[in-house]
Every structure is written in structure tokens, then in C-alpha cells.
Amino acid sequence: MSDIDSRRRAAGELEGQVMSVLWAAGRSMIPAEVQAELDPAPAYNTVQTILIRLVDKQLVRRSRVGRAHAYEPVRSEADAAAAQLRATLSGVGDRGLTLQRFAETLDDAEAQVLRQLLAEARRVDR
């Protein structure tokens, strides 16, 4: 593997990093601001392309700011992760087994939070 190949990001990795930057900012950002937060910083045009792709995927919204565009996530990071988990779960045959395997990966604190949330959800359903 050449030095250039070792620096390449995996498919989708840059999109994820851009989304992380936008979520962490908690405000809309112009491409140059997003670029400044990425390490290593890709070319400005690359950041612009990624942001446009995220708009096309309806993950980010774009608004005009002077002569530039600013971008912000459509959903919170938690909402996006929950939707991704839901989509993954709906795509498997044995949901029970999948949930079991997921539960086995939780540490004690995470398992306790999940137990509390499930108990609260049951109380609301009654």
C-alpha cells in the first residue's frame, strides 16, 4: 500500500466526520469552517462536495449566508443514530437474536440506562 493509499479515508468516513463536526458545532457552518475542523483537512472542494451529498441525502440542510451557503444537520446526532439502529434492526431476520447480541455488548452502565428507559416506556404505554 502506498503512502497515498494509507491516507485515504474509508468510503463514507469523511461524511461521518463532517456530520460529527456539524453536530459538535451546534450551529450552521460554512464549508471553510467545516474544513478547518477536519484533520487531516481535505481540499475545500472535497468538503463542499460532501456537504452537497449530505444535502441530497436529506441529512443536512443548506441556507444562504451572504454569498456563501451554511450547512446544519437536519436531525440531532441521537435521532440520526436511533434511526440508523432502527433501519438496521428492520433489515434482519431474527430481531430477537440481534437485540440479544447487541445487549451482550453493553457495559453495566449502558445496560442500566437501557433498563430504565424500557421501564419508563412501559409506564407511558399503560
Side-chain angles (χ1 to χ4, degrees):
M1 176 183 295
S2 74
D3 191 38
I4 291 172
D5 291 338
S6 67
R7 289 189 311 241
R8 287 184 186 237
R9 291 175 170 93
E13 183 180 348
L14 186 54
E15 284 185 5
Q17 290 173 347
V18 167
M19 289 302 299
S20 292
V21 166
L22 293 172
W23 282 316
R27 62 177 178 80
S28 29
M29 299 177 78
I30 61 174
E33 292 173 315
V34 174
Q35 179 190 29
E37 294 296 318
L38 297 169
D39 186 31
Y44 179 85
N45 288 345
T46 300
V47 174
Q48 232 177 0
T49 299
I50 293 299
L51 288 164
I52 291 167
R53 285 182 187 164
L54 292 169
V55 168
D56 291 344
K57 292 179 179 182
Q58 299 179 350
L59 299 173
V60 168
R61 75 175 59 91
R62 176 176 52 197
S63 59
R64 198 85 155 130
V65 177
R67 292 178 49 200
H69 285 103
Y71 299 83
E72 65 182 321
V74 171
R75 300 186 209 180
S76 71
E77 185 174 20
D79 288 341
Q84 187 175 22
L85 288 169
R86 191 70 181 130
T88 299
L89 189 59
S90 69
V92 298
D94 190 339
R95 292 181 183 179
L97 182 59
T98 303
L99 287 169
Q100 177 186 349
R101 294 291 193 262
F102 174 72
E104 290 168 353
T105 68
L106 300 176
D107 65 27
D108 290 342
E110 292 166 335
Q112 182 58 35
V113 168
L114 187 55
R115 280 192 286 278
Q116 289 172 344
L117 293 171
L118 289 170
E120 289 172 18
R122 280 192 218 110
R123 283 193 293 273
V124 170
D125 287 343
R126 290 182 186 167

